[in-house]
Amino acid sequence: MKKIILWDFDGVILNSNTETEFAFRYVLQNHSKDEIEQLLNFHNTNGGLSRYVKFKHFYKNIINENLTDSKMNFLTNSFSEIRLQRLSNPNLLIKDTLKFIKNNYDKYLMHIVSGSDGIELRSLCDNLEIAKYFKSIDGSPTPKNQLISELLIMNNYNSDNCVLIGDSINDFEAAKLNDVIFFGFNNPDIKNLGDRYLTQIDDMFNSEFFK
């Protein structure tokens, strides 16, 4: 069986952090600067978690208000609209990652498993003309660890043949829960987590996984 590469999206394939922070600030603009900064701190510490988890955290732990379903829908829809508009820019694609994907998509089985909203993510990959390189593209509201579990079962993959490339502790934890190899990337704070830290994507070829 070919090796299977599971890609996180934000911060691994696309430089989206600045635009994502803008989207959070925009949809929460009626709240105080301090409250928004607390949410952004939580967001930056938990990059692999979905916006659904982050908005729930904001309401429960920061502003102590009830988050209704209608309010959640409004927040997530507004957030998605802004991100899709601002991120559909091919200049934001991480060049080394894109080069690796284009050069190797026919050699390995590649999937995207992301904390971003799944519907938005598939639209964004279509807009960026990269969807063709992946066997599947999935995101929230399903948690990442569950996405990986379901992907392994659905495709009858052996976890020993899989590696997840991510940039957050949540990515590491999702990989660990599914007995999948983890390579950290683009975040020095996770340098000591997982099986390897990649300073550039091609460093993958120096790992035992590809030998």
Side-chain angles (χ1 to χ4, degrees):
M1 177 181 283
K2 290 183 178 180
K3 297 292 188 179
I4 300 113
I5 303 176
L6 311 180
W7 297 90
D8 179 39
F9 187 75
D10 294 289
V12 173
I13 295 176
L14 194 74
N15 273 320
S16 57
N17 292 342
T18 300
E19 302 304 336
T20 299
E21 286 196 10
F22 176 89
F24 275 122
R25 292 183 190 279
Y26 183 86
V27 299
L28 297 174
Q29 61 185 290
N30 292 328
H31 296 275
S32 73
K33 181 179 179 180
D34 177 66
E35 290 167 343
I36 295 172
E37 290 304 317
Q38 288 184 60
L39 183 277
L40 291 178
N41 287 336
F42 180 78
H43 158 67
N44 289 322
T45 304
N46 298 277
L49 296 182
S50 74
R51 68 200 59 178
Y52 301 89
V53 173
K54 291 167 185 176
F55 282 127
K56 286 178 182 177
H57 172 81
F58 181 77
Y59 270 75
K60 180 179 180 179
N61 300 308
I62 296 177
I63 65 172
N64 299 310
E65 292 183 13
N66 180 47
L67 178 58
T68 63
D69 290 343
S70 60
K71 184 65 174 178
M72 173 67 92
N73 289 336
F74 172 78
L75 290 170
T76 55
N77 289 341
S78 299
F79 185 89
S80 182
E81 183 178 339
I82 295 164
R83 262 182 49 105
L84 192 57
Q85 177 184 351
R86 294 178 69 93
L87 292 177
S88 295
N89 177 0
N91 291 325
L92 293 175
L93 288 164
I94 297 174
K95 291 180 175 58
D96 285 348
T97 305
L98 181 62
K99 180 181 177 182
F100 179 95
I101 290 169
K102 285 183 174 180
N103 289 342
N104 294 283
Y105 76 96
D106 57 344
K107 301 180 183 72
Y108 308 105
L109 301 172
M110 297 190 182
H111 301 263
I112 292 178
V113 284
S114 173
S116 292
D117 178 82
I119 295 173
E120 172 200 301
L121 184 60
R122 286 185 282 275
S123 295
L124 187 53
C125 287
D126 282 337
N127 292 349
L128 293 168
E129 299 183 349
I130 62 171
K132 59 189 175 185
Y133 300 120
F134 303 98
K135 301 298 181 183
S136 66
I137 299 170
D138 293 298
S140 61
T142 305
K144 186 170 295 189
N145 64 301
Q146 184 179 335
L147 287 176
I148 296 172
S149 175
E150 292 174 353
L151 188 150
L152 295 176
I153 294 169
M154 187 178 303
N155 293 281
N156 196 29
Y157 288 157
N158 184 330
S159 61
D160 291 340
N161 289 328
C162 301
V163 60
L164 171 64
I165 303 170
D167 68 337
S168 74
I169 189 171
N170 309 106
D171 295 328
F172 164 71
E173 290 171 346
K176 186 177 180 180
L177 282 170
N178 287 284
D179 295 319
V180 167
I181 292 168
F182 177 75
F183 291 166
F185 177 66
N186 205 20
N187 181 1
D189 290 341
I190 61 167
K191 207 165 189 176
N192 297 319
L193 297 179
D195 300 87
R196 191 177 188 89
Y197 184 78
L198 308 175
T199 55
Q200 55 186 23
I201 289 294
D202 278 347
D203 285 348
M204 278 194 283
F205 290 132
N206 297 324
S207 69
E208 289 298 320
F209 179 77
F210 286 96
K211 294 178 180 176

